[in-house]
Each structure stands twice: as structure tokens, then as C-alpha cells.
Amino acid sequence: MSEVTCRIGSMCGRYVSSKAVGDIVTFFDVERVGEELASPSWNVAPTVPINIVLDSIPKDRAAEGDASTVRRLEAARWGLVPPWAKDIAVGARMFNARIEEAADKSAFRTAVKKRRAAIPASGYYEWQKLADGSKAPFFISPDGDDSLFAFAGLYEWWRNPAAADDAPDRWVLSATILTQDSVGPLAEIHDRMPVVLEPDALDHWLDPHVEGDADLLDDIAGASVDMIETFELRPVGREVGNVRNDSPALIEPLA
């Protein structure tokens, strides 16, 4: 993936996750940190490892009748691979999920019910199509800088049918970012925007005891609109269109 690609109905697949693991752990009150976490990046693209925050009930606790949860930070493949998929490549086109449809779609409805995630981010990129057919990239974030926040996401575990029972890649954790219709100035750039988690809703969103449904998605989407309408957006250089470019310089204002 060397050039930016956008599909109607999805946000463009690039975002910034520039904070160190320690900052993410503190911000989200993470209790357990997974292995091989993704490094900070200013040009995160689909199919690469990303960091996600989730709440789960440890098996040893469940066996003892203890249903209390643990907040975890784990590395996941960006692009949700449904349990029924025969090939991991299916996830390449599922880096986004429309929040209006996720509760009914076979790829996402089980995750909506009990496998919801927060995806740490510092901002994201979107491309505006110009009259001459070219595309102008924008960096969009809470304060025009790289403050930490979270996208609303879903995650799944996929069993690789080609891997041996003892293979390290037997199970693949993958995730998707929920999107909704754009509002305000963002609608002038692209028709979709990511769903941003309101901080006070984080615990409820991640709680596996809460059975997610369309009503929960509606609530999250409504709160997201109020937050993302305050985000700042600014033009940036076209270098972000190539995933091989990855540095803080990508979010600098266009000269």
C-alpha cells in the first residue's frame, strides 16, 4: 500500500498514534500490557499492527466464578477478520465498519455484542477531492496537535485454519474502526468520519457484561458528533500519501 486509497462510505485509512505505551497505559488505566505492541507512528495504514484497549474476563477468574474484568492493551491487525473467514486477506477491506449497520452485519454483529475496543489515536488524515481531480490531505485532531483520544472500535479473534495447533500465528487478533456520517466542516472534506469515544462512556463501551446493540451504537455515535465537531483540521503535505513516510513532519501545517 504505497498510495492513499479511499472508498465511498469509509474514512480514509490513515491515522496517527504517536504516543508511547506508557502514556497509553496511564491515559486508559490499563492493567495488563500485551507483547509486541505497535510502535508510535504518524502514518498508520490498514493491515499493520495497531494498539487497542479492551476489557476482558480472565479465564482463571471465570473458572472461580469471578466475573470481574481486566483492562488490557494489546496489538491487533488493523482490518477485522471475522471468525468465519477462510483467509486473513478478508480483513484488508474491513478496516472500517459503518456504525449504522454494524449491529446487523455478519462480520461485526457478534463483536458489537461483546468485543468492543478503544483504539488510541492522536489524530487522523482525510483527503478532500478537488475540482481538478487531485486530492488534498488534511490532519484532523482535537487541538491541531497530537493529543491522545480514542476511536470506537470492534475486535475479533480469528483461528488460522492453515496453522498448526501449536503455531504462534494460530490465533489472530484484529480490529476495525467505526465510522459515521461527517458533520460540520468535516463534511466538506469527506462523507464519513471516525466515531470518537467520549471519555465518560469508555468504561460502559468496553464492558463485556454490557450486551451491545443498535441503541448502544446510536448513543456512542451521538456523543461522538458533539466531540468531533470541535476537532481542528489543517492542510498537510502530500507526503502522507505514501506509507513509507512516517515522521512527525507529516502533521506539520502545509507551508
Side-chain angles (χ1 to χ4, degrees):
M1 185 174 178
S2 59
E3 297 181 351
V4 63
T5 56
C6 304
R7 298 199 311 269
I8 296 298
S10 69
M11 61 175 266
C12 281
R14 300 293 176 81
Y15 74 94
V16 176
S17 183
S18 61
K19 299 303 182 183
V21 168
D23 295 325
I24 297 173
V25 167
T26 299
F27 188 87
F28 291 99
D29 294 323
V30 171
E31 300 170 74
R32 294 187 184 179
V33 178
E35 300 178 353
E36 299 181 359
L37 294 172
S39 300
S41 173
W42 287 263
N43 203 357
V44 184
T47 73
V48 305
I50 62 173
N51 295 325
I52 70 172
V53 177
L54 59 94
D55 285 358
S56 67
I57 304 170
K59 292 181 179 180
D60 55 346
R61 291 188 185 181
E64 297 174 356
D66 181 356
S68 60
T69 62
V70 170
R71 182 152 299 170
R72 298 158 48 192
L73 180 64
E74 300 287 351
R77 189 177 192 269
W78 186 18
L80 188 142
V81 185
W84 43 258
K86 295 182 179 180
D87 192 298
I88 196 171
V90 170
R93 61 179 183 270
M94 295 190 184
F95 57 90
N96 289 160
R98 295 174 63 94
I99 198 166
E100 306 91 337
E101 304 171 351
D104 298 320
K105 291 287 186 180
S106 62
F108 306 123
R109 60 187 174 214
T110 302
V112 167
K113 289 181 179 179
K114 56 185 178 181
R115 285 189 280 276
R116 300 175 299 272
I119 300 177
S122 311
Y124 74 101
Y125 301 103
E126 197 54 84
W127 279 257
Q128 182 180 41
K129 189 173 182 179
L130 303 179
D132 63 1
S134 63
K135 294 177 180 178
F138 286 76
F139 175 64
I140 303 165
S141 69
D143 56 5
D145 198 359
D146 61 350
S147 297
L148 189 57
F149 66 96
F151 298 128
L154 307 172
Y155 72 92
E156 274 291 3
W157 287 98
W158 177 71
R159 171 66 163 89
N160 183 353
D165 289 346
D166 58 351
D169 62 345
R170 177 187 178 190
W171 288 99
V172 176
L173 178 62
S174 62
T176 188
I177 295 174
L178 290 163
T179 70
Q180 62 189 127
D181 286 337
S182 291
V183 296
L186 292 173
E188 299 178 11
I189 297 176
H190 197 271
D191 64 329
R192 302 292 289 181
M193 65 183 187
V195 178
V196 175
L197 278 173
E198 201 277 324
D200 291 340
L202 178 67
D203 292 346
H204 188 70
W205 174 253
L206 296 181
D207 190 349
H209 297 107
V210 175
E211 183 169 319
D213 55 17
D215 289 337
L216 175 61
L217 298 184
D218 287 344
D219 291 343
I220 292 295
S224 172
V225 167
D226 294 338
M227 288 188 62
I228 206 165
E229 279 188 315
T230 69
F231 277 29
E232 296 183 21
L233 52 100
R234 64 165 179 252
V236 293
R238 298 179 185 273
E239 292 80 7
V240 68
N242 190 320
V243 294
R244 290 188 290 271
N245 298 323
D246 189 355
S247 77
L250 295 178
I251 67 172
E252 293 297 319
L254 187 64

